Amino acid sequence: MLFASRSFCCLGIRTYQLRTDLLSRSIKLSASVTMAFRHENTRRIEGLDSNVWVEFTKVAADPSIVNLGQGLPDISPPSYVKEELAKAAAVDRLNQYTRGFGHPSLVKALSQVYERVYGRKIDPLTDILVTVGAYGSLFSTIQALIEEGDEVIIIEPFYDCYEPMVKMAGAKPVFIPLRYKNDGSSASSADWVLDPAELANKFNSKTKAIILNTPHNPIGKVFTREELQVIADLCIKHDTLCISDEVYEWLVYKGNKHIKIATLPGMWERTITIGSAGKTYSVTGWKLGWAIGPQNLIKHLQVVHQNTLYTCATPLQEALAQAFWIDYKRMDDPDCYFYSLSRELESKRDRMAQLLQEAGLKPVIPDGGYFMIVDVSTLNVDLSDADEKQPYDYKFVRWMITSKKLSAIPLSAFCGPETKRQFEKYIRFCFIKKDSTLDAAEVILKNWNKQTA
Amino acid sequence: FLSLSLQAKMSRPVQAQRLEGIDKNIWVEFVKLAATYSTVNLGQGFPDFPPPDFLKEAFVRALSGENHMLHQYTRAFGHPPLVKILAQFFGKLLGRDLDPMTDVMVTVGAYQALFCCFQAFVDEGDEVIIIEPFFDCYEPMVKMAGGTPVFVPLRPKAPKDGKLMSSADWQLDPAELASKFSERTKAIVLNSPNNPLGKVFSRGELELIADLCVKHDILCISDEVYEWLVYDGKEHIRIASLQGMWDRTVIIGSAGKTFSATGWKVGWTVGPNRLLQHLRTVHQNSVYHCATVAQEAVAQGFQRELEYYGKPDSYFVQLSKELQQKRDWLVQSLDAVGMKPIVPEGTYFLVADISEFKSDVPDVPDSDEPYDSRFAKWMVKNKGIAAIPLSAFYCGSHKNNYNHFIRFCFAKEEATLKEANDILQKWKREKTTP
């Protein structure tokens, strides 16, 4: 049951919103009130129940499937990270509540690491919020700063939760696609770009924020300084916030540099930057993330946090703090995990690309992150007997899982309604996998043509 | 046009309206005070003793075992071993067959379970009945969801024959409760055993609430985090087991309270799929997954408790016995010095009437701050005992109704409670000697 709300804009000034509670109340009174009606869900979650992961993560339970779908490592986290967790759990006090906005030793460690990266002072108590994964930071940011009447620009393809989170906050997602500039050379994530004029057109007086994801999931694009400047200029011109999802910040490959948009002039005061322990230390199951920004924005995220889950798990935060100290001390050393993981993944990236190329495919080589997208339409797999209404890539991935025992994620899951057709020939592979997993994938890809010939 | 719209944007607050009126939080201030001044912290509700060995061992096994995939995402709605054992355990307690995949959902503490319930079911204009005194987060969570909290107080009756007051003496007035239900009422929040009073609602009291829920066809959000902490042979009755209630109740539980591991932040909801499906929608759009290792360890904890259920070696049995003893010590300490304790039937909280100590903290007429809050602050600064003012558990307009009570947490080591006793005794002596 959907109740629309209308807002009136006059000269760009939001005057008032027509509330619909009167309308909903009269419906409740006049209709025969049945048990089913009263126990219905709220408007805010209407239509947000479906989720690409529910279907495709079930696959992970089947050990016969080579799982290159969901973005989780099957490599082990570094041993010192696990050791720190064991040490933390042995301290009695660390099994009880800690500071709500972030365990003191963790926010201190984060401020030290990021002061180095940002080149500015970051107050651990006011400029940082620790959340349940970067997911929790996205949620806290959107709930704190976005509401009905707002528009939020989302760059397609996008990590799928951005759209439902914006909708749950009552706001309108405005999509803009990355477009492939075809110049004939081998496909790289750098070939996918925003059209500056098209982007500028998406901004208006209602635009509250733009969500940036760099390095980008799923394409692996690492936005250049020039590209970030285009976005920054528009944010400043329209007084828009920037929600910068930088969970893959350490995973950038040779020839590329991760630049924080918050370090561009005029951007610190309007940017929330989000990071993830899961992606930094290959511990996605720890579900710890953080939001960093100016106090006058972070304080609102803290209010959301204190009214949603209040505090995050203590021993995990303590262990993470210790791991950060270990790597902070060697940030000038190539052995620092932030850099060593990146090197390890670069060779996996190259191997994955080679496997796909040998199977006759043309993957988009990512400059960062641990995903790789590939156009599978060239394989000409006949899926005409499958459900017509489904996008091609969904049908393809389901077919590939059953007949090839290999899983990936369909790219149209990461697109708004207008762009689904554009991206439905692409699927996404995750390559943060141990050698034996990639070996198994190699076998499948090598035999691919033999079976379909 | 452009500059006007920019000006408008800049004059508009950056934060969303849903944050209006929910930014204040008593814990931020009182936790800081306790950290700065207290020698004996009986304030915030957490044990100062460790979780049981079997649980800590399970945690270490999970994090260091061969299966390093326990450091990666697990099933979003709950780690399979955990939801399976919860379904088994609570199925047994409720006398029903529970489907672990649809009738159970794991959350980041009971706190996040509460959040999911309000977000899933409370829309703008909906009313939610909250029984005072209440765990303070209910009110801002209802407001954040756009709902209207409607308060109904537990009212103290004089105890029999000069006995100490019991939490059972605080009761709802049936007519008053019934008057709070309207056609806009969407849900009632029940917390039994109750924080802060320690009240364990009797079957009769629960039936009263249940009848109204059924009559008005509303939901019951049942916060039962202290379900294992009941004393004097009392029984914790689950309202969901009453006639007509299963279909309209979400039960909330907490590993933190069950296993003395508040820092693990593992909680759960149990209820019919028809309701839980909407909690899943909120969950998948807010935090999505909960930490795997902690869930694995809690699952093993429950496995062990299932084997020992009802036996003397059951942690639930032992913890309850130990806490009853601690309750009795604190009751004695407070009674001996003239602070009048309300003996709790459950939880690890105890509320005491500090009227006899008022001379230490003079009344300030026209003060914005409730008396008990000023008293608690004075007490931690001058006596080193941290406790929480009862007014923290009342809505704004009712904060002065019961403003001479403070809440103590007694889930503390014997040494801590002895030290509290010494401080109280000294304080009493200082008052009586001229």
Side-chain angles (χ1 to χ4, degrees), chain A residues 374-378 392-393 411 420-427:
Chain A
V374 60
D375 177 348
V376 291
S377 62
T378 55
Y392 180 84
D393 52 357
L411 214 67
K420 282 193 200 291
R421 286 275 158 217
Q422 197 181 318
F423 285 99
E424 66 173 332
K425 48 187 192 164
Y426 290 94
I427 64 175

Side-chain angles (χ1 to χ4, degrees), chain B residues 202-268:
Chain B
S202 66
R203 184 172 292 278
E205 289 172 312
L206 293 175
E207 276 167 357
L208 172 73
I209 295 169
D211 286 345
L212 286 162
C213 286
V214 172
K215 175 178 174 184
H216 294 272
D217 192 23
I218 67 153
L219 296 171
C220 179
I221 299 167
S222 187
D223 177 354
E224 304 185 20
V225 297
Y226 302 104
E227 56 189 314
W228 301 110
L229 306 182
V230 284
Y231 312 123
D232 309 316
K234 271 214 93 118
E235 192 199 348
H236 167 67
I237 298 163
R238 294 178 172 82
I239 196 168
S241 62
L242 267 54
Q243 185 96 13
M245 290 306 288
W246 167 254
D247 281 318
R248 61 182 69 253
T249 305
V250 177
I251 307 169
I252 293 172
S254 155
K257 309 297 190 280
T258 297
F259 288 110
S260 311
T262 60
W264 288 21
K265 290 293 290 188
V266 175
W268 52 82

Side-chain angles (χ1 to χ4, degrees), chain A residues 8-26:
Chain A
F8 292 86
C9 267
C10 185
L11 296 173
I13 301 167
R14 185 157 37 129
T15 50
Y16 65 91
Q17 290 177 349
L18 181 67
R19 284 172 175 240
T20 56
D21 53 355
L22 280 172
L23 177 67
S24 69
R25 258 183 250 172
S26 68

Side-chain angles (χ1 to χ4, degrees), chain A residues 308-327:
Chain A
T308 52
L309 50 95
Y310 206 100
T311 183
C312 298
T314 315
L316 295 167
Q317 291 189 71
E318 175 65 22
L320 184 61
Q322 297 307 320
F324 265 117
W325 285 124
I326 289 169
D327 284 300

